[in-house]
Amino acid sequence: MNFRQVNLDFHTSEKIDGIGAEFNKEEFQSALKAGHINSVTLFAKCHHGWAYFPAEENEMHPHLSFDLLGEEIKAAKEIGVKTPVYISAGLDEKEARRHPEWLVRNRDESTMWAKTFDEAGYHKFCMASPYLDVLVRQIEEVCKKYDADGIFLDIVGVQPCYCQNCIRERMEMGLDPYDGDDVMKHAELVYKRYAKAARRAVDRYKPGLDIFHNGGHIRQGRRDLAFYNSHIEIESLPTGGWGYDHFPVSARYCQGLGLEYLGMTGKFHSTWGEFGGFKHPNALRFEVSLAAANGAKCSVGDQLHPSGKPDNVTYELIGRAYAELEEKEPWLDNVTPVSDIAVVSPEAYTGAMSTGQTSQVDAAGAGAGRIMLEGKYLFDVVDFESELDKYKLVILPDVVRADSGFEKKLSRFCENGGKVLASGVSALKEGGNEFCLDLGAKWEGENEYRPDYFRPSERMDGMGDTGYVMYGHGQRISLAGTEIGKRENPYFNRTWEHFCSHRHTPDSGEYGGPGMTEGRDGIYIAWDIFSDYAENGCIWYKQIVMYAVDRLLGDNKTLVTDLPAQGVTTLMKQPDRYVCHMLYASPVKRGRGIEVIEDILPVYDTRLSLKLGKNISRVYLAPQLEDIPFTERDGRIEITVDKIDCHQMIVLE
């Protein structure tokens, strides 16, 4: 898989004339060269449903007079650029108006994405309809006619549907066509049938060709779905609704699947389909570097103008980021992450799924990921098939109960010296009210007060001897180990009859039982602290979690640094060296909540301490190849990085 890719959208209405009329091979090649691009995903079929080549199994755009796809492929390959081919699978507006009976229907008979035909937008197809046969023939035709380096199928996933095709098929299977569980069972079957049909279609003419099914988010805990792909493309436009938290957490899950993966962002100020919109060059520099630091290749989304003429400003923008990436590639390939902590994915536990265009990990997973990033911890996101042996600490955020199999896995982990941090109802036995581990607590029930207060029993960094408000849902526990912090009750819950001040009732000082405990196997926090951090961002939540993590890891932390909170740190291992990535940028909110990176301020004199268990003979900056001094003390390599400008790699050989 190539490091420097572009996904070149071309969703083009039949109401526009002169499609591709200004396409010029030399200009197209010049744009790819300016962008330092070595792979470009080109369109065979768009969301409007039109083909961009003389098609037998589809219709060429009515205002296109030549084989645009073929000419683009020829031009790219002449300069050594790979050409995966894009086919819109879930959307085909041309066919939607001809065959509305093939569309996904919600329970109220409305359609997806656009709910009716009197609003602008596309309508999603059901793969249980005859449309699947149409799509399969279109895939086969592309693979037969073109030298594609892969097939990218868009807008697909496990989709609940109440169209009459699905209703009829569920009845034939003996399922209740309107029961939620049966609807999802059938949706899983329909998706797997589609994925297998697509694989067969590709293999008929291009056996083993790469294929990827894009649904906007890689579902954690669903390896069966992931492995219908030959590789993973993590669609994650920070400005398009995903935010800057989504990609690092998704990448830390994908890196454990054993598949190559890339991060897909966009050049747009906002999201897909924005003509004339550009993010600041520093934003794209950071996003490309963030992909690299997480072991991912990179893809930047663009959209070709209907004329077929590439936008030079876009490729200058992409080129600034990709020129830097090209220099760094020797230190980016063939890497494995070094991690101390396994965060068990709440999404993998709950089976959470969003059918939206910008689905994200749930609040507990997002909050855990955010604290790990801000605390500069080395972590992976894992599911229940992951092995835990290589980790020092397992975190169970808020919702992760344990069935018998996972209980045994956790017990073995703790018996071998590992520690667990749990919160909320995590670590309770599935279907029961007992903790599966010794975390110093006994569960008594849900806490009746919300919000209530946490008072540390011991000195925690950044916290004093006071009651800190805890907005989230809490659990009531009794002590079976060491109390690290206690719960204090408010005077009463806020109601129409009982209320005080503007927001919530003050701390009464009344002891409400333990709030944070420690036992033989780890630490328990009696609130949904990770979900609440994602929603409210209270600094004391992070301080509580970091205190627990640092207490459990002790002096076994592989990496310690004073890089500021908005910085990102990862550690990758190549066969003969370690590569530590340090990034710094500070997104701000603009407009209606769009996260924007504009100014990147250099960070100076950052201390870095690494415990690697290896003899280190040389430390240098990459790609500068500039040696830097280091000392070794008590088994740790101590380094000061003079300057970090967006992204700096520190190499230890």
Side-chain angles (χ1 to χ4, degrees), residues 530-542:
F530 295 103
S531 303
D532 210 15
Y533 188 68
E535 293 169 9
N536 290 306
C538 303
I539 185 67
W540 54 94
Y541 293 171
K542 179 170 67 173

Side-chain angles (χ1 to χ4, degrees), residues 267 278-281 284 312-321:
K267 67 96 176 181
F278 306 90
K279 61 181 43 161
H280 194 280
L284 200 56
N312 290 332
V313 173
T314 292
Y315 290 89
E316 290 169 7
L317 172 66
I318 295 172
R320 291 175 66 173

Side-chain angles (χ1 to χ4, degrees), residues 261-297:
Y261 56 101
L262 65 79
M264 182 190 294
T265 184
K267 67 96 176 181
F268 316 105
H269 166 70
S270 58
T271 191
W272 298 107
E274 179 185 56
F275 290 102
F278 306 90
K279 61 181 43 161
H280 194 280
N282 280 337
L284 200 56
R285 286 179 62 213
F286 179 79
E287 290 159 24
V288 167
S289 298
L290 187 64
N294 282 280
K297 310 301 193 292

Side-chain angles (χ1 to χ4, degrees), residues 181-447:
D181 290 340
D182 281 357
V183 169
M184 287 307 303
K185 186 185 299 183
H186 179 244
E188 296 273 355
L189 180 151
V190 169
Y191 178 74
K192 291 176 182 180
R193 188 168 61 201
Y194 145 78
K196 290 177 180 178
R199 181 74 261 178
R200 287 194 301 269
V202 170
D203 288 345
R204 183 175 180 186
Y205 295 102
K206 295 284 196 310
L209 186 69
D210 283 354
I211 188 171
F212 178 68
H213 307 274
N214 186 47
H217 173 63
I218 305 303
R219 291 179 59 188
Q220 296 169 13
R222 293 303 306 272
R223 295 183 179 217
D224 56 332
L225 301 181
F227 286 115
Y228 283 116
N229 303 297
S230 56
H231 64 283
I232 297 294
E233 304 198 20
I234 306 171
E235 184 181 4
S236 189
L237 283 68
T239 56
W242 285 259
Y244 278 96
D245 288 344
H246 178 261
F247 173 76
V249 174
S250 291
R252 280 166 166 80
Y253 175 71
C254 290
Q255 65 193 13
L257 296 178
L259 296 171
E260 280 196 284
Y261 56 101
L262 65 79
M264 182 190 294
T265 184
K267 67 96 176 181
F268 316 105
H269 166 70
S270 58
T271 191
W272 298 107
E274 179 185 56
F275 290 102
F278 306 90
K279 61 181 43 161
H280 194 280
N282 280 337
L284 200 56
R285 286 179 62 213
F286 179 79
E287 290 159 24
V288 167
S289 298
L290 187 64
N294 282 280
K297 310 301 193 292
C298 193
S299 177
V300 177
D302 179 31
Q303 181 156 236
L304 186 65
H305 189 273
S307 68
K309 186 179 180 66
D311 184 272
N312 290 332
V313 173
T314 292
Y315 290 89
E316 290 169 7
L317 172 66
I318 295 172
R320 291 175 66 173
Y322 274 177
E324 291 184 19
L325 183 63
E326 189 172 8
E327 284 189 272
K328 299 171 184 175
E329 286 176 15
W331 295 273
L332 304 178
D333 215 359
N334 192 23
V335 298
T336 55
V338 178
S339 300
D340 293 334
I341 299 170
V343 177
V344 178
S345 166
E347 182 182 356
Y349 173 74
T350 61
M353 180 186 72
S354 170
T355 56
Q357 291 171 262
T358 57
S359 57
Q360 298 190 6
V361 295
D362 63 18
R370 173 44 52 195
I371 293 176
M372 294 296 100
L373 290 167
E374 292 178 355
K376 307 301 172 290
Y377 297 109
L378 301 179
F379 73 103
D380 292 339
V381 177
V382 303
D383 59 25
F384 296 92
E385 296 181 53
S386 304
E387 294 300 324
L388 303 179
D389 299 347
K390 68 177 182 177
Y391 301 106
K392 301 165 186 173
L393 173 65
V394 169
I395 295 179
L396 308 177
D398 297 355
V399 298
V400 185
R401 288 177 176 263
D403 63 14
S404 58
F406 191 51
E407 179 180 355
K408 290 176 183 176
K409 183 177 279 193
L410 288 172
S411 295
R412 286 195 303 271
F413 173 73
C414 292
E415 287 167 4
N416 291 328
K419 295 294 183 180
V420 170
L421 171 62
S423 60
V425 298
S426 288
L428 289 173
K429 295 182 179 182
E430 191 71 68
N433 297 325
E434 296 180 19
F435 286 106
C436 68
L437 300 169
D438 179 1
L439 302 176
K442 180 180 178 183
W443 190 79
E444 301 290 347
E446 292 188 6
N447 185 42

Side-chain angles (χ1 to χ4, degrees), residues 30-56:
S30 177
L32 296 177
K33 290 176 182 178
H36 290 256
I37 292 154
N38 53 19
S39 179
V40 56
T41 303
L42 301 169
F43 264 44
K45 175 193 171 189
C46 73
H47 289 345
H48 291 274
W50 302 113
Y52 295 93
F53 65 96
E56 298 167 24

